[in-house]
Structures are given as C-alpha cells and as structure tokens.
Amino acid sequence: SVGGSLAIQVNRQLTSLVGLGALNSVGSLSVIDNDIIVDLNGLANLASVGGSVDVNRNVMLDNVQGLCNATIGGVKLVPL
C-alpha cells in the first residue's frame, strides 16, 4: 500500500508495471508521459484508489484493463 500519491511519470524506457503486482491500495495514482507502456496489467491487484486517477499522454497505451479491479474514489470500474 501507498498511503499518498503514486506517480509514474516521464519514463521513456519503462515497458511494464508488473513490478507493482503486490500493490493493493494507493491514495491517488498518476500514469503520465510513459512512451512505451502498452497496458496497465501490473496494477491488476490494485483494489482501491482513495482519490483521483490520471492516465494521460502514454502514447502506446492500448487499454486500462489493469485498473478494472480497483474502486476509485468510491466508484467501481466495470469493463465494457
């Protein structure tokens, strides 16, 4: 768990978030300007984000399915 904010930003060579597989809650989350991340599957075990989520300017990102198990600010995401 991260009680405060988790910012994953401006990583030009970061390819995956699988190292975050044990993370189950954060205060807020931002994933911004990561050039070659294609998915957020490393966040699949994230159950709760207390505040905001900002996923922006990740040019290769194909989907955000990795966040589908999370309740974000009290709202549960449901995949379409």
Side-chain angles (χ1 to χ4, degrees), residues 14-33:
L14 184 65
T15 59
S16 173
L17 299 179
V18 295
L20 298 175
L23 187 65
N24 61 14
S25 69
V26 296
S28 64
L29 174 67
S30 61
V31 183
I32 301 171
D33 284 327

Side-chain angles (χ1 to χ4, degrees), residues 5-66:
S5 299
L6 175 61
I8 303 164
Q9 300 178 339
V10 193
N11 295 286
R12 303 293 179 222
Q13 296 181 358
L14 184 65
T15 59
S16 173
L17 299 179
V18 295
L20 298 175
L23 187 65
N24 61 14
S25 69
V26 296
S28 64
L29 174 67
S30 61
V31 183
I32 301 171
D33 284 327
N34 301 288
D35 291 347
I36 57 177
I37 290 178
V38 296
D39 62 50
L40 302 179
N41 293 344
L43 299 174
N45 291 323
L46 187 61
S48 174
V49 180
S52 64
V53 172
D54 185 4
V55 178
N56 202 347
R57 295 187 308 269
N58 299 288
V59 295
M60 299 297 289
L61 187 63
D62 286 334
N63 70 72
V64 293
Q65 292 282 99

